[in-house]
Amino acid sequence: MPATLDAPAPPSGSSRSGSSLSSAETAQLFDRAVIPNYPRLPISLVKGEGSRVWDAEGRGYLDLFPGWGCNLLGYSPPRVVQAIQEQAGRLIHVPNTWLIEEQAAFADFLTQRSFGKAFFCNSGAEACEAALKLARLHTPEEKYRVITFEKGFHGRTMAAVTATAQPKYHAGLGPLMPGFRYAPLNDLDAVRALMDDETAAIMIEPVQGEGGVNVHPPGFLQGLRDLCDETGALLIFDEVQTGMGRTGEWFASQTFGVQPDIFTLAKGVAGGVACGGIVCRDEIAPSLRPGMHASTFGGNPLAMAAGLATGRTIEEEGLLEHCRDMAERFREQLEPLIASNPIVEAVRVCGMMIGVQLTVPAGPVQDACLERGLIINSTQGSVVRLLPALNVAPADVDEGCAVLIDCLSDAADQAGDAPEGGE
Ligand SMILES: *Cc1c(COP(=O)(O)O)cnc(C)c1O
């Protein structure tokens, strides 16, 4: 029997982690009242701190995939909590008919570290919708087509899901939005062949997240930049997952040295508070003209205060550098598996985005890790995916890697046994 991760007790002040229902009781309520569109684990998480989280039964977990990437600084980062508390006491919501100091401040923070001007919404899909609308609005009338990429992921609203070139997300939803064309990955000639006078934009994740942590080969993103410059199409980077420090720079565009015309943000941008946004070049910004786009909650004081606190924490605590250091720490521990573990085909690390490509299904590895108190993710069937917090502690990296390596070794043993086992 493998030992469970040695998680410390829940932080003080939390009897049974502060929850009042057991996981089973919450599950019953879900059955009665919640639309069952998510495959849910039967575990109710009730309290977190950094990369640790506790369930209603008081069991602790090390989470190397906190909040699907939304918890960029781990659970309840103190400076973000404090900013939210102070802001909520002052002002929670103000409509965009007024000036909102916090919105201007966060826009300034983001654009000082990139370029241009920002617009805020509340989620990644909305950010992609805004980027797509802006691209169509800004380019000449006849340009409306958008090229996106196989295995990409851009969200679940109708334009965003159409942009998501994965048939499994389209089933039963048709007709989808007209005007989208899908290109294979890493094939500039194929992209060129899909482009014409009607192409308004190319949209791509600088590193594909849900698609399996796919880092593009050198030159590919620059090649897309060049194609856009030749044809007058706009280059949109979907940085919903890569943005705000995840790749070890503020934005993945900086990691790869290619500047888009528009980029999207969401997930971790406000440290776990719902927030999305786009940044675009100055010349493009006026095309999102008054009356053509809006978001009621977009840029609200609460989310903006959280975003600002998140950004300042990253800056003042040196977390971009820490992120790069921890990326090396993961790489050093996981890359040797390619040689030592027959089911490990590749290890892809870009800052705190880590993918381990297996030759077997990754779901059972995810389950085995959870059994031992380690939270990870699996995607695209055979990719183990980690999105650790930018401030993950070195000891947590080592502990998580040890458990993961153990579980991968068990999975290799099982895969090796299977043919003889005659199952
Ligand atoms: C998660 C994600 C989205 C969708 O974000 P939501 O907030 O769920 O709408 C879009 N693009 C990328 C790259 C993502 O990772």
Side-chain angles (χ1 to χ4, degrees):
M1 218 8 212
T4 294
L5 273 184
D6 194 17
S12 58
S14 52
S15 67
R16 221 176 83 187
S17 311
S19 68
S20 52
L21 297 184
S22 69
S23 291
E25 286 163 337
T26 299
Q28 276 180 1
L29 260 185
F30 261 88
D31 284 346
R32 195 182 315 148
V34 181
I35 292 177
N37 63 313
Y38 300 100
R40 280 179 203 273
L41 295 162
I43 299 168
S44 170
L45 296 180
V46 295
K47 169 117 189 137
E49 192 181 291
S51 294
R52 303 276 166 176
V53 64
W54 289 266
D55 67 20
E57 283 64 45
R59 184 178 181 204
Y61 303 83
L62 170 59
D63 195 346
L64 295 184
F65 193 69
W68 283 80
C70 296
N71 298 341
L72 191 65
L73 304 177
Y75 289 90
S76 295
R79 296 175 59 160
V80 177
V81 170
Q82 194 191 346
I84 293 169
Q85 284 171 342
E86 285 174 10
Q87 185 60 49
R90 213 161 39 237
L91 201 56
I92 293 177
H93 185 74
V94 178
N96 280 301
T97 35
W98 305 89
L99 293 174
I100 303 169
E101 182 184 334
E102 295 77 16
Q103 187 180 130
F106 191 37
D108 190 50
F109 184 94
L110 293 173
T111 56
Q112 288 290 331
R113 284 152 191 79
S114 52
F115 53 84
K117 291 192 165 58
F119 161 84
F120 294 102
C121 50
N122 314 284
S123 69
E126 278 178 88
C128 291
E129 298 280 337
L132 293 167
K133 281 176 73 173
L134 177 54
R136 283 189 176 177
L137 287 168
H138 183 73
T139 50
E141 184 83 40
E142 70 276 9
K143 289 190 189 288
Y144 68 99
R145 289 191 194 280
V146 178
I147 294 174
T148 62
F149 292 84
E150 288 170 6
K151 289 198 178 174
F153 186 83
H154 302 291
R156 307 300 195 135
T157 55
M158 284 308 275
V161 83
T162 304
T164 297
Q166 301 195 54
K168 67 179 176 190
Y169 293 128
H170 297 165
L173 289 181
L176 298 171
M177 284 268 302
F180 285 78
R181 286 178 169 169
Y182 306 140
L185 276 174
N186 309 331
D187 185 345
L188 281 176
D189 291 334
V191 180
R192 186 178 290 111
L194 290 173
M195 291 186 81
D196 58 22
D197 293 343
E198 296 176 334
T199 305
I202 294 176
M203 181 158 83
I204 188 166
E205 299 160 79
V207 178
Q208 287 190 332
E210 194 269 356
V213 191
N214 302 318
V215 184
H216 308 294
F220 184 66
L221 294 174
Q222 183 61 47
L224 298 180
R225 175 72 272 173
D226 295 342
L227 279 176
C228 286
D229 291 342
E230 284 162 30
T231 61
L234 299 181
L235 181 62
I236 304 171
F237 280 175
D238 182 353
E239 294 232 28
V240 165
Q241 197 163 131
T242 55
M244 200 67 173
R246 168 113 7 236
T247 64
E249 302 288 345
W250 282 110
F251 307 104
S253 56
Q254 294 155 351
T255 300
F256 299 106
V258 178
Q259 190 179 308
D261 299 295
I262 306 171
F263 66 89
T264 62
L265 292 169
K267 292 227 161 83
V269 71
V273 174
C275 180
I278 62 169
V279 171
C280 71
R281 289 196 292 112
D282 278 310
E283 312 87 273
I284 298 174
S287 294
L288 209 62
R289 53 186 190 271
M292 281 312 292
H293 197 61
S295 168
T296 299
F297 279 123
N300 68 79
L302 200 66
M304 296 296 101
L308 209 46
T310 302
R312 285 182 178 152
T313 303
I314 293 169
E315 189 142 270
E316 286 161 29
E317 296 186 2
L319 293 180
L320 296 180
E321 195 189 353
H322 181 75
C323 168
R324 297 193 293 268
D325 289 347
M326 293 306 101
E328 278 319 299
R329 206 173 178 101
F330 274 108
R331 195 194 297 280
E332 278 164 18
Q333 297 184 60
L334 297 178
E335 258 181 2
L337 295 175
I338 301 169
S340 67
N341 185 322
I343 64 165
V344 175
E345 200 171 81
V347 173
R348 301 185 281 265
V349 180
C350 183
M352 287 301 96
M353 292 180 86
I354 295 146
V356 182
Q357 177 72 58
L358 307 181
T359 59
V360 300
V365 176
Q366 181 185 348
D367 296 344
C369 285
L370 185 63
E371 281 275 299
R372 295 180 54 178
L374 174 68
I375 299 174
I376 60 165
N377 174 252
S378 61
T379 186
Q380 298 290 324
S382 57
V383 180
V384 166
R385 178 166 60 142
L386 314 178
L387 291 171
L390 295 192
N391 55 1
V392 64
D396 286 344
V397 174
D398 298 349
E399 195 174 337
C401 282
V403 174
L404 176 58
I405 289 167
D406 238 26
C407 291
L408 287 170
S409 157
D410 289 348
D413 289 346
Q414 278 156 28
D417 286 349
E420 294 120 71
E423 275 292 298

